[in-house]
Amino acid sequence: MDPLVHSISIDPQKCIGCTTCMKRCPIEAIRVKDSKCYIIDSRCINCGHCVNVCPHRALSGITDDINSIFNFPYRIALIDPVLYSQFDLVTDPVKIISVFKDLGFNEVFETSHGADLITNFTKKYIKSASSKPVISSSCPTIIRLIQLRFPELIDNILPIDSPVEISAYMARQNAIKSTKFSCTDIGVFYISPCSARIYSFQHPVGIKYTNITGTISISSLFLDISKLMDNIKETVDFYSSGKAIGWARAGGQSQALEISEFLAVDGIENVISVLEEIENNKINDLLFLECQACTNGCVGGCLTIENSFVARNRIRQISQKFYKYIPEDLFQPEKFLLDQPIEPLNVLKLDKDLSKAIAKMKLIEEVVKDLPNIDCGACGSPSCKALAEDIVQGYSNKSDCIVMLKNNLKIK
């Protein structure tokens, strides 16, 4: 299988088939065969959890190289506030973002602009929303998770684009007005904390086209930023909106809404648990639900370098410092509403033919009865039920089960 699956790369030289990623995958999208892991791309939600838990660093997010920016005459660095959390609180955010001029960018623009616009829109939308709770649309992993596992909640998704896409559009339009460059001459590169963003730019959901040209990971630039910070040639303006900066941590988006009927959930396993509760109508007193796939929010993304708890605390303090800032409404939110339907993803179906799918389901139940049901993962599937599905679908066979193989050898 191609080592590049969505936004995750698997290095076969480093992978030893230890099954750690398979066991920790929240959506059971990973299998291990012939001592190597592989990802079922149709099931992957690009959460990057496998990247974080791999003890051998065999999995990584795929991003662009910094040198790729020079393919464009005019270059814009799109900065996520997560970047501020990677440095100690003594380091001024102005110094951090100013470094990008020395890295070769012509302009710096922060995603905080888009976050403020969405906050203002959400405050109004919640009052008239027919499906509650309104679920934040900022995390692409959560959107894909809902498409796969919770299609009944699609109508609850906030119908506006992410802060990244909105800010990229703002930055591009401002550059077109202030320079003589055309749209195709302008490259907008997002400095990303997570792998999910990469896939969302390649396969946009809810919109036709992305405004992002490329993606560069925070982790790949950290050392360069650190080295250049003490010799900055030119400083740039800093968008000091504390409410928008707070979006980088779990709960920041909800706090900016200034309402009490909200729930902020971080960590993909916790998100799945809460969405199940909402789907079963066990939670009915919420207006807004903020879901973040990464622990502690975007500061816990797999393309960062700092401990997520430390980073979250830093963002909290930076946000408080600038919390009284009142942004100007430069763009109308209606321009950024989703104009494409978010469709359910039926990749978990056993067969397109309903009668065959039912037959396979019955067969899976029979196979599960023969398996030991201890979910050891030694077979290369995350659970005995998953192995039964793989057997029925023709991807595995019963001899892959170590327990059954051992018992058969004893009998012989």
Side-chain angles (χ1 to χ4, degrees):
M1 186 173 182
D2 194 315
L4 175 60
V5 181
H6 290 191
S7 56
I8 305 295
S9 173
I10 303 171
D11 187 342
Q13 300 299 320
K14 294 181 179 179
C15 179
I16 64 170
C18 69
T19 73
T20 300
C21 61
M22 181 195 73
K23 293 176 180 178
R24 300 286 294 276
C25 178
I27 205 74
E28 293 192 344
I30 300 179
R31 301 290 187 271
V32 175
K33 298 293 180 185
D34 300 323
S35 299
K36 303 295 177 185
C37 73
Y38 71 92
I39 301 173
I40 303 175
D41 54 352
S42 60
R43 292 193 179 198
C44 180
I45 58 174
N46 307 293
C47 64
H49 195 48
C50 55
V51 177
N52 284 333
V53 301
C54 179
H56 306 286
R57 300 183 181 274
L59 296 102
S60 59
I62 295 297
T63 56
D64 294 298
D65 185 85
I66 183 65
N67 293 321
S68 63
I69 70 173
F70 298 105
N71 294 326
F72 297 85
Y74 196 82
R75 304 168 291 277
I76 301 174
L78 193 61
I79 306 297
D80 195 298
V82 171
L83 182 64
Y84 313 148
S85 70
Q86 305 300 291
F87 301 87
D88 57 45
L89 291 171
V90 178
T91 307
D92 191 337
V94 174
K95 291 182 65 177
I96 297 173
I97 62 177
S98 296
V99 168
F100 284 84
K101 282 291 190 78
D102 295 329
L103 287 173
F105 290 94
N106 302 97
E107 184 183 335
V108 177
F109 200 86
E110 294 114 301
T111 61
S112 299
H113 291 269
D116 273 333
L117 183 146
I118 295 174
T119 295
N120 294 336
F121 169 79
T122 307
K123 288 180 178 179
K124 299 175 182 178
Y125 179 80
I126 285 177
K127 297 177 180 178
S128 59
S130 56
S131 299
K132 290 187 176 72
V134 174
I135 302 175
S136 169
S137 58
S138 64
C139 179
T141 290
I142 301 303
I143 301 300
R144 186 165 172 83
L145 173 67
I146 292 174
Q147 288 178 283
L148 280 168
R149 290 274 300 271
F150 306 98
E152 293 181 0
L153 299 179
I154 287 179
D155 291 338
N156 293 63
I157 296 174
L158 185 69
I160 194 169
D161 215 343
S162 69
V164 179
E165 288 285 0
I166 293 174
S167 300
Y169 176 86
M170 290 180 176
R172 191 181 292 276
Q173 292 304 310
N174 290 341
I176 291 174
K177 292 178 182 179
S178 62
T179 68
K180 296 181 180 180
F181 291 107
S182 65
C183 184
T184 55
D185 289 331
I186 300 172
V188 181
F189 291 83
Y190 177 53
I191 312 305
S192 180
C194 76
S195 58
R197 290 291 178 195
I198 306 167
Y199 182 73
S200 71
F201 303 146
Q202 297 170 346
H203 305 274
V205 175
I207 57 174
K208 287 184 178 180
Y209 309 106
T210 182
N211 292 295
I212 302 294
T213 307
T215 312
I216 304 173
S217 70
I218 287 177
S219 56
S220 68
L221 294 179
F222 179 78
L223 288 178
D224 290 331
I225 295 173
S226 301
K227 291 176 182 177
L228 295 171
M229 206 177 298
D230 293 330
N231 298 296
I232 297 173
K233 298 176 182 178
E234 178 186 358
T235 59
V236 300
D237 293 331
F238 169 56
Y239 185 72
S240 56
S241 171
K243 293 179 181 179
I245 291 172
W247 275 53
R249 67 177 179 90
Q253 181 180 359
S254 300
Q255 184 181 8
L257 294 175
E258 299 175 335
I259 59 174
S260 57
E261 303 89 347
F262 73 85
L263 178 61
V265 190
D266 60 294
I268 192 65
E269 294 90 350
N270 298 327
V271 169
I272 292 173
S273 176
V274 169
L275 291 178
E276 287 175 347
E277 295 283 291
I278 291 175
E279 188 178 48
N280 294 326
N281 297 314
K282 292 184 178 180
I283 301 177
N284 301 303
D285 56 349
L286 295 178
L287 291 179
F288 184 76
L289 177 63
E290 176 189 343
C291 296
Q292 300 285 348
C294 299
T295 301
N296 291 314
C298 294
V299 293
C302 63
L303 301 183
T304 59
I305 59 102
E306 183 57 276
N307 178 282
S308 67
F309 291 91
V310 174
R312 178 176 181 171
N313 187 51
R314 288 174 181 166
I315 285 295
R316 178 185 62 80
Q317 295 184 65
I318 297 172
S319 175
Q320 288 178 344
K321 182 178 180 180
F322 300 106
Y323 207 75
K324 293 183 179 180
Y325 177 87
I326 300 176
E328 297 180 13
D329 291 327
L330 301 178
F331 288 82
Q332 294 301 313
E334 289 73 19
K335 185 176 186 62
F336 305 106
L337 296 180
L338 301 180
D339 56 10
Q340 300 295 309
I342 300 177
E343 302 288 353
L345 298 175
N346 298 318
V347 298
L348 301 181
K349 286 187 175 180
L350 296 173
D351 200 285
K352 294 180 180 179
D353 188 304
L354 181 59
S355 59
K356 291 182 179 179
I358 294 174
K360 286 183 177 181
M361 190 177 298
K362 292 181 179 179
L363 186 55
I364 288 173
E365 292 176 357
E366 293 299 318
V367 174
V368 168
K369 292 178 182 178
D370 294 334
L371 298 176
N373 289 297
I374 58 175
D375 298 338
C376 65
C379 60
S381 297
S383 65
C384 287
K385 183 179 179 181
L387 176 60
E389 292 179 6
D390 293 343
I391 291 172
V392 171
Q393 296 287 56
Y395 307 138
S396 301
N397 52 67
K398 288 185 178 182
S399 62
D400 289 328
C401 176
I402 302 300
V403 177
M404 291 188 68
L405 180 63
K406 184 178 180 180
N407 290 336
N408 289 337
L409 289 174
K410 285 182 178 180
I411 293 173
K412 289 182 179 180

